Amino acid sequence: MTIERKIREHLHEEAETMECPPAISKRIEQSYYQYLQRKRSEKPMKKRVIGGIVAAAFLIPTAAFAAPALIEMLTRTPMTAEQVKVDEVGKAALEKLYSAFPETRSFEIVDASYLGEAPADSTKKQAIQTSIALQEKGGAGKKISLTIGVTGKIDSVIQENWEEKPVSSLTNQEIKEKVNNLIDKMYGSIDGYEVSMEPMGDPHQKTFLLNYIEKGSQIPFYQVFVKDNRIYVTLHGGERTPSNLVKVEGFFTRDGKPDTFADSFLNDENLFSLLNMSPTELKQELAKGKSVVEVAASKNVSKQQVIDVIAKTQVEKELQADQNGASVSNHVKEQMMKALEPKVVHVIEHKSETPAKN
């Protein structure tokens, strides 16, 4: 048995039995939620930080929070620069990058890996996610990282140290221009998108969140974090509201505003059908301080059924959004669903805080 598998199994066993004080649990939950919000736009961690991750995992009270994030890191497979250049997905992503920013042709591939494994009936790798990081030779200059999905679509881009001074220190208009330029070159024209920009967290840290939303859509198409001299662009692929599905805003709220992250998971007609209730009825139940899991239990629906329905819908959305018409095996779809589980679990176990009664 490999050391990675031993650690993975041990974490599952320990996390299921550990208890954590409510105050610490709440802080961990909030931190983990913020981590999920930005997870897709961050470069995967290297294995040398495993000690810190393992230590943090033991503080988290449930396996749903602790194990999946660690398992994802442990199951990433490193790639050499040569492997990236001959890999179908990696090569296409590099060509896209080189076309957008010709200077990156001289950059070195400093880190690369993929998440997933070869299907049982094939020797060809079908990765759930491929990550590539390139940097100017010398290791101290411009850097750019790409995360590519199973269909070959670039899910996120991180641009670092491309300006003489931190991007976050620029004016709001200048920040938007830098972000617009990155999106325009990597994804296409942003004409027709409405852009909102707001500071996040401690105003002294100068961190900004930008949402690019198509008219008629409920979910950001692009979500961008700007901090220090980094720009993180994540392709959310927000869709317009289908005529046959009435969507509800604010199943949960965050900082007094509708939580679009949770809404994107819970506005699922298959979920409403499974629970045999309308989106408005679900929102009303959640407002009473219940979790989706508890609502489901009252309908004799298991937690795993809820997870499977939501994860399947999210995977289908991602595959349908692909413009290349790429097809994937059922094995890879199952892996994609499994990778989504920790995000789904966090949403369906979350509870709205209800006012205390005197």
Side-chain angles (χ1 to χ4, degrees), residues 176-187:
K176 287 182 181 179
E177 289 175 359
K178 300 296 182 184
V179 174
N180 290 351
N181 180 63
L182 179 56
I183 294 176
D184 184 72
K185 289 191 173 183
M186 291 302 300
Y187 294 103

Side-chain angles (χ1 to χ4, degrees), residues 28 37 48 78 80 96 101 127 129 146 153 155 177 182 195 212 233 248 260 287 294 304-305 327 341:
I28 292 172
Q37 290 285 69
R48 65 170 178 262
T80 65
K96 173 69 176 178
F101 298 99
Q129 183 193 84
L146 309 177
K153 178 178 59 181
D155 288 333
E177 289 175 359
L182 179 56
V195 185
Y212 287 71
V233 178
V248 168
T260 57
E294 291 173 336
Q304 192 59 50
Q305 285 178 293
S327 61
E341 279 200 13

Side-chain angles (χ1 to χ4, degrees), residues 83-295:
Q83 288 175 321
V84 172
K85 292 175 182 178
V86 298
D87 176 74
E88 184 178 337
V89 170
K91 184 165 63 173
L94 287 177
E95 285 304 315
K96 173 69 176 178
L97 175 63
Y98 295 156
S99 175
F101 298 99
E103 66 266 41
T104 58
R105 290 184 179 275
S106 64
F107 286 19
E108 296 178 308
I109 296 176
V110 295
D111 195 12
S113 63
Y114 70 87
L115 174 64
E117 58 186 41
D121 59 350
S122 173
T123 57
K124 183 178 179 181
K125 172 179 72 68
Q126 281 191 287
I128 295 175
Q129 183 193 84
T130 302
S131 298
I132 308 169
L134 301 90
Q135 190 165 29
E136 283 185 309
K137 292 182 179 180
K142 295 179 180 179
K143 185 175 182 180
I144 193 160
S145 304
L146 309 177
T147 301
I148 308 102
V150 65
T151 60
K153 178 178 59 181
I154 296 176
D155 288 333
S156 66
V157 181
I158 306 176
Q159 193 181 63
E160 304 177 59
N161 303 323
W162 283 60
E163 305 300 324
E164 292 183 359
K165 59 181 181 178
V167 179
S168 59
S169 68
L170 304 176
T171 65
N172 287 8
Q173 184 57 39
E174 289 173 330
I175 291 174
K176 287 182 181 179
E177 289 175 359
K178 300 296 182 184
V179 174
N180 290 351
N181 180 63
L182 179 56
I183 294 176
D184 184 72
K185 289 191 173 183
M186 291 302 300
Y187 294 103
S189 175
I190 57 169
D191 291 342
Y193 289 90
E194 297 177 345
V195 185
S196 65
M197 178 176 176
E198 59 181 293
M200 294 189 66
D202 186 344
H204 299 293
Q205 290 183 343
K206 288 280 190 177
T207 301
F208 298 94
L209 169 65
L210 291 83
N211 284 314
Y212 287 71
I213 303 176
E214 286 186 297
K215 292 182 179 178
S217 176
Q218 301 293 318
I219 305 170
F221 200 91
Y222 304 108
Q223 191 167 68
V224 186
F225 289 91
V226 176
K227 183 177 181 180
D228 299 327
N229 210 359
R230 297 182 179 181
I231 300 175
Y232 306 72
V233 178
T234 302
L235 176 63
H236 274 223
E239 76 284 354
R240 292 182 174 84
T241 303
S243 58
N244 62 342
L245 174 61
V246 178
K247 288 198 172 183
V248 168
E249 260 193 337
F251 284 101
F252 299 112
T253 58
R254 181 168 61 90
D255 298 329
K257 299 178 181 179
D259 187 335
T260 57
F261 179 79
D263 287 351
S264 67
F265 280 76
L266 298 181
N267 272 308
D268 183 341
E269 57 186 327
N270 295 318
L271 173 64
F272 303 141
S273 177
L274 177 68
L275 299 178
N276 192 28
M277 61 195 311
S278 70
T280 301
E281 289 172 332
L282 176 59
K283 181 177 178 179
Q284 290 172 345
E285 289 300 302
L286 297 178
K288 297 176 183 178
K290 298 179 182 179
S291 68
V292 176
V293 172
E294 291 173 336
V295 174

